[in-house]
Amino acid sequence: QVKLVESGGGLVQAGESLTLSCAVSGTTATGSYGWYRQVPGKERELVAGLSTTGRTNYADFVKGRFTISRDAAKNTVFLQMTDLKPEDTAVYFCNLVRLLRGEWWGQGTQVTVSS
């Protein structure tokens, strides 16, 4: 059974950094990974993506500040967040898509940025 568990969220001040982790278990097969975020009353939105070929893509609002990466040996995906802003406050979710196999989500981790 595939399971994604996020960690690393917390409360920080504007301008500080955080690194989120997404530990993947139940599969070591390749897939596309993504970090999404959601605030109450709004739809979940893509923050950063990592394709099976290693190509990354970022939402405009995080370009230059956030970096997605994966440690294959640890089967963990990371989201390094720098220069955090109050508008980055959200629940951050990890996502895995394996073509023709399925899609999985973690339970989310709260990131709160105070001004």
Short mmCIF file of all heavy atoms in Angstrom, two decimals, residues 57 64 112:
data_model
loop_
_atom_site.label_atom_id
_atom_site.label_comp_id
_atom_site.label_asym_id
_atom_site.label_seq_id
_atom_site.Cartn_x
_atom_site.Cartn_y
_atom_site.Cartn_z
N ASN A 57 8.98 21.98 -12.27
CA ASN A 57 8.18 23.14 -12.64
C ASN A 57 7.64 23.78 -11.37
O ASN A 57 7.41 23.09 -10.37
CB ASN A 57 7.06 22.77 -13.60
CG ASN A 57 6.03 21.83 -12.99
OD1 ASN A 57 6.29 20.65 -12.82
ND2 ASN A 57 4.88 22.38 -12.63
N GLY A 64 12.04 30.85 -7.76
CA GLY A 64 13.19 31.50 -7.18
C GLY A 64 13.26 31.40 -5.67
O GLY A 64 14.27 31.73 -5.06
N THR A 112 2.76 28.00 8.63
CA THR A 112 2.23 29.30 9.00
C THR A 112 3.37 30.30 9.02
O THR A 112 4.37 30.08 9.69
CB THR A 112 1.54 29.25 10.37
OG1 THR A 112 0.50 28.26 10.34
CG2 THR A 112 0.93 30.60 10.70
#
